[in-house]
């Protein structure tokens, strides 16, 4: 008879430690790439400024020389036509002046062409570097979110699960969720930064061809389109940065922090978001405020990204229970086809379970989605 195998709860921590170490190393490497790209970007930006000034000066110098050369050629033509009217010294001076201005003009135009070529090359490199920096920052912040989740919420697994069998089952669920999240991050990196860099390369080549074939103005139009693409990436980076725990949560509390966050989301997405606070608004234990903030954050992000909503209602009511309602007017979904084990829903359920609360999700195609959460306050506030 085989002895019954016991599950060691510390294995969960071992898995987390190994996962965190691997992800942290990747984060540091990406951060290093971003910093190197940023330094090169700053160096080239300074050089580009100097070259642009030099191009302008060279153009002005060339225009002046062209005028002088034209006058000198006119004078030489006059001397040649009426040779008998001029002395030997005047004839010599006319020939030398015309020759000198022509040589200087050719040299100046060659210098202008070289400066323009260098300027265009630097501008193309700056576009690529700017995109690399933005993507590196985005990846670093995305990884930080994952690390925060791994190093905070999942660390509590050993305290939540008492029975050895439950620990083993829940540990396997965590591993599955981690693998699913890794796959999602892998796909996002492939479909996002990799595709974006490829597009930047293609657009830079297009700009170069446009410049050569159609001139500066057409190339500038293409360049503006490329910059708009980079700016949209910057907006996404800033949103991810704000997804990290804001300092205002500790200083001001839940409602003021939510007001700021929802205003930021509304400004960046164009979605109308209304927040109402009812009841005896007050400060809650830090852990509860963080969990509540994350629950609302996850709900709002889902409505903005997946539901295609243009209006979201958020209501927080302080009574014997903390009641949270998030409702959107988006496309909704068929709940019978919903994946209950998706990473976001697992995280929301874990947070609610930790607070001894309940969560209810209602949705129908074309009728939006409603998320209703209730958390008892008496027990939570007793932990202050």
């Amino acid at each position: 008879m085989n002895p019954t195998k016991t599950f060691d709860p510390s294995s969960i921590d071992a898995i987390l430690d190994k996962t965190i170490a691997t992800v942290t190393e990747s984060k540091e490497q990406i951060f290093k790439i971003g910093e190197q790209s940023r330094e090169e970007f700053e160096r080239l930006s300074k050089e580009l400024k100097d070259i642009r000034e030099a191009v302008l000066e060279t153009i002005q110098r060339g225009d002046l020389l062209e005028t002088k050369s034209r006058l000198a050629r006119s004078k030489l033509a006059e001397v040649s036509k009426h040779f008998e009217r001029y002395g030997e010294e005047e004839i010599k001076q006319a020939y030398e002046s015309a020759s000198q201005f022509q040589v200087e003009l050719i040299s100046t135009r060659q210098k202008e062409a070289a400066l323009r070529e260098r300027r265009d090359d630097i501008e193309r490199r700056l576009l690529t570097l700017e995109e690399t920096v933005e993507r590196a920052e985005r990846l670093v912040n995305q990884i930080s979110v994952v690390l925060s989740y791994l190093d905070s919420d999942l660390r509590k697994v050993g305290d939540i699960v008492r029975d050895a069998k439950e620990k083993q089952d829940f540990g396997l669920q965590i591993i599955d969720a981690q693998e699913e999240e890794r796959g999602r991050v892998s796909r996002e990196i492939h479909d996002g930064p990799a595709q974006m860099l490829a597009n930047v390369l293609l657009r830079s080549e297009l700009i170069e061809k446009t410049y050569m074939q159609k001139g500066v103005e057409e190339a500038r139009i293409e360049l503006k389109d490329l910059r708009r693409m980079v700016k949209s990436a910057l907006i996404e980076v800033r949103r991810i940065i704000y997804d990290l725990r804001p300092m205002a949560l500790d200083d001001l509390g839940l409602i003021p922090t939510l007001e700021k966050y929802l205003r930021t989301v509304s400004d960046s997405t164009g979605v109308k978001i209304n927040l109402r606070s009812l009841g005896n608004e007050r400060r809650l234990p830090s852990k509860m405020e963080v969990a509540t903030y994350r629950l609302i954050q996850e709900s709002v992000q889902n409505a903005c990204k997946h539901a295609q909503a243009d209006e979201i209602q958020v209501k927080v009511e302080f009574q014997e229970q903390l009641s949270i309602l998030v409702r959107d007017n988006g496309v909704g979904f068929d709940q019978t086809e919903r994946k209950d084990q998706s990473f976001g829903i697992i995280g929301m359920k874990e947070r609610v379970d930790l607070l001894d609360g309940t969560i209810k999700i209602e949705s129908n195609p074309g009728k939006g989605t409603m998320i209703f959460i209730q958390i008892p306050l008496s027990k939570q506030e007793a932990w202050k």
Side-chain angles (χ1 to χ4, degrees):
M1 182 176 179
N2 294 329
T4 303
K5 293 183 178 180
T6 59
F7 178 78
D8 184 5
S10 64
S11 63
I12 295 178
D13 290 333
I15 293 171
L16 284 173
D17 290 339
K18 186 174 181 179
T19 302
I20 290 171
T22 302
V23 176
T24 300
E25 183 180 356
S26 300
K27 175 184 175 182
E28 292 172 354
Q29 292 174 354
I30 295 172
F31 179 79
K32 185 176 180 180
I33 292 172
E35 288 303 301
Q36 291 174 344
S37 299
R38 189 191 304 278
E39 292 173 3
E40 180 69 4
F41 181 89
E42 293 174 353
R43 185 187 69 78
L44 288 176
S45 295
K46 185 178 183 302
E47 183 179 349
L48 179 60
K49 180 181 178 182
D50 296 338
I51 288 179
R52 283 174 174 168
E53 293 176 355
V55 168
L56 181 60
E57 292 175 0
T58 305
I59 291 174
Q60 293 173 345
R61 172 66 177 166
D63 292 344
L64 179 61
L65 285 172
E66 189 169 348
T67 300
K68 291 183 177 180
S69 177
R70 185 167 55 251
L71 293 174
R73 290 197 304 271
S74 297
K75 178 66 176 178
L76 180 59
E78 174 68 19
V79 169
S80 299
K81 184 176 180 180
H82 304 285
F83 194 78
E84 69 282 354
R85 297 181 185 177
Y86 297 91
E88 182 179 345
E89 185 62 30
E90 288 180 303
I91 295 171
K92 179 182 178 182
Q93 184 176 358
Y95 273 99
E96 290 179 350
S97 179
S99 177
Q100 178 183 353
F101 283 129
Q102 186 64 25
V103 170
E104 289 184 12
L105 178 60
I106 292 173
S107 175
T108 300
R109 291 307 188 199
Q110 289 176 342
K111 180 180 178 182
E112 179 188 338
L115 286 172
R116 285 177 179 271
E117 184 177 356
R118 176 59 179 164
R119 178 199 62 191
D120 295 342
D121 178 63
I122 291 177
E123 287 178 344
R124 288 192 295 270
R125 292 176 62 187
L126 283 175
L127 287 173
T128 301
L129 286 171
E130 186 175 16
E131 183 62 24
T132 300
V133 170
E134 299 295 347
R135 288 297 166 182
E137 290 179 350
R138 179 178 179 180
L139 285 173
V140 166
N141 283 285
Q142 286 176 333
I143 293 174
S144 295
V145 173
V146 176
L147 284 174
S148 175
Y149 187 82
L150 292 174
D151 202 28
S152 58
D153 292 353
L154 294 184
R155 290 288 187 187
K156 302 173 183 178
V157 170
D159 296 332
I160 299 171
V161 185
R162 301 300 180 186
D163 184 80
K165 182 64 171 63
E166 290 179 356
K167 288 182 180 180
Q168 184 178 35
D169 293 341
F170 196 61
L172 293 173
Q173 183 183 6
I174 291 172
I175 295 172
D176 289 340
Q178 289 176 355
E179 292 301 325
E180 181 180 346
E181 178 66 2
R182 289 175 186 171
R184 187 193 66 79
V185 172
S186 177
R187 290 190 298 273
E188 184 168 343
I189 292 173
H190 177 271
D191 296 338
Q195 293 296 327
M196 199 69 170
L197 289 175
N199 288 339
V200 168
L201 179 59
L202 291 174
R203 290 300 293 273
S204 66
E205 292 174 354
L206 177 62
I207 292 172
E208 182 177 6
K209 291 179 180 178
T210 302
Y211 171 74
M212 297 298 295
Q213 297 174 2
K214 300 182 180 180
V216 176
E217 290 303 320
E218 290 295 326
R220 283 178 179 171
I221 294 174
E222 293 293 334
L223 189 59
K224 287 177 69 176
D225 289 339
L226 188 59
R227 285 174 178 166
R228 279 195 292 268
M229 183 171 64
V230 174
K231 286 180 180 179
S232 67
L234 179 59
I235 292 173
E236 180 69 7
V237 170
R238 288 173 176 167
R239 183 194 64 76
I240 293 172
I241 290 174
Y242 195 82
D243 283 345
L244 300 175
R245 174 172 174 169
M247 296 301 295
L249 196 58
D250 295 325
D251 298 332
L252 303 179
L254 178 63
I255 299 302
T257 304
L258 281 174
E259 289 174 345
K260 181 178 180 181
Y261 166 70
L262 296 177
R263 185 166 56 249
T264 301
V265 173
S266 181
D267 291 342
S268 64
T269 63
V271 177
K272 182 180 179 181
I273 305 178
N274 296 316
L275 172 66
R276 293 180 61 197
S277 174
L278 305 174
N280 180 24
E281 179 182 330
R282 56 193 183 276
R283 293 301 303 267
L284 301 173
S286 177
K287 292 181 180 180
M288 186 175 182
E289 287 187 336
V290 172
T292 304
Y293 176 85
R294 293 300 187 200
L295 288 167
I296 296 175
Q297 183 184 48
E298 179 73 18
S299 302
V300 171
Q301 286 182 354
N302 286 339
C304 291
K305 294 177 65 176
H306 305 301
Q308 304 174 26
D310 56 24
E311 184 173 353
I312 302 173
Q313 302 290 334
V314 179
K315 184 173 75 172
V316 181
E317 183 174 2
F318 296 79
Q319 297 294 340
E320 292 183 359
Q321 298 187 103
L322 180 67
S323 299
I324 303 165
L325 177 68
V326 180
R327 187 195 304 272
D328 68 69
N329 66 345
V331 297
F333 58 89
D334 187 347
Q335 288 187 268
T336 61
E337 298 177 359
R338 178 167 55 89
K339 296 181 179 180
D340 290 328
Q341 299 306 314
S342 67
F343 193 79
I345 293 177
I346 288 177
M348 292 179 69
K349 288 184 175 180
E350 285 177 356
R351 292 181 190 276
V352 173
D353 289 342
L354 285 172
L355 298 173
D356 294 329
T358 59
I359 179 171
K360 182 180 180 181
I361 301 175
E362 293 182 358
S363 185
N364 289 293
K367 297 184 178 180
T369 300
M370 185 274 292
I371 299 175
F372 183 64
I373 300 170
Q374 286 189 311
I375 301 170
L377 288 181
S378 56
K379 182 178 179 181
Q380 307 293 335
E381 292 181 319
W383 292 349
K384 275 189 176 182

